[in-house]
Amino acid sequence: MNTQELARKKFLEDYRHIRHAEGRGSEQSGYYRALPESLPGDCNAQMWAMRAKTYSYFRNNILSSFEQTEKRRLSILDLGAGNCWLSNQLALRGHSVTAVDIFTDDRDGLGAARHYASSFKVIESDFDRLPVPDQSYDLAVFNASFHYSTDYLDTLTEVRRCLRPGGLFVILDSPMYRKKSHGLRMVEEKHATFKEKYGFRSDALPSIGFLDLPTVHSLASALAIEWHIFKPWYGWSWHWRPVKAFLANKRPPSRFWILTGGFQRP
């Protein structure tokens, strides 16, 4: 086993430990089929409430519009599918879905696909070497996962290969900052928190961890991307977080904007 394989194995072990410690997953199929709505007693209900708002906005303002334009069954990549809840929702809408993740855990990874009645394909893979044919998908959705990339240019170059002309990619629930320095501070704070809480920094496998506006602009230039940024409403408490951080002399909190991108092909 080479160094990269060892790092991946260590990351997945750490990730599984953290996710299980956080109470992710269930033995009941009803838990998964309800997602992104949480069932009573779920210790991650607050997180799922945010995911539900993100999905609702995506469904109503982006996906529905794309469906109306295409007027056919879409072929969709769910990138960073986790327990496959989004793949299930998209399959229930009649689309052909491929769930992709490197985490195959039965409770919080691709193994949870067994709980759904809908049908979709499952692939164990990372983002940068997707085992799918060229120009075979209409839509690629990074499901709270884009920030796990180690190189955004490589990741989006691979997505461009997979998308058909006129295809769209969407970034959901990745931390977004106006300045790169704020994101770097967040990542360091996160690793320090993991070290204190779990005994390790959870950085065995490197990742960028966030998006920032300068990076978005540079990716647009490098790959001829036409970006659109959407700002879902998460409530007044979320809305006032930047003000509270400023008054407390803390770094600005992350934003969870939705980004869509299309490649301008020659």
Side-chain angles (χ1 to χ4, degrees), residues 48-141:
W48 283 117
M50 269 201 72
R51 293 281 190 271
K53 289 177 181 177
T54 299
Y55 174 68
S56 178
Y57 188 98
F58 162 69
R59 180 192 62 211
N60 296 337
N61 297 280
I62 299 168
L63 179 60
S64 294
S65 177
F66 197 56
E67 290 170 335
Q68 291 169 12
T69 298
E70 297 299 321
K71 294 184 172 61
R72 60 181 171 80
R73 187 186 193 205
L74 300 174
S75 184
I76 304 176
L77 276 170
D78 178 8
L79 298 172
N83 63 26
C84 303
W85 72 266
L86 180 59
S87 291
N88 175 57
Q89 292 294 335
L90 296 172
L92 290 175
R93 293 177 72 87
H95 300 306
S96 173
V97 185
T98 301
V100 180
D101 209 304
I102 64 171
F103 193 50
T104 59
D105 185 72
D106 285 345
R107 290 178 65 89
D108 196 48
L110 296 178
R114 71 187 190 280
H115 290 288
Y116 302 104
S118 61
S119 177
F120 50 87
K121 188 176 181 179
V122 173
I123 297 177
E124 180 186 358
S125 175
D126 60 32
F127 300 151
D128 298 342
R129 291 171 294 278
L130 295 167
V132 302
D134 294 355
Q135 299 188 8
S136 52
Y137 288 88
D138 303 296
L139 181 65
V141 184

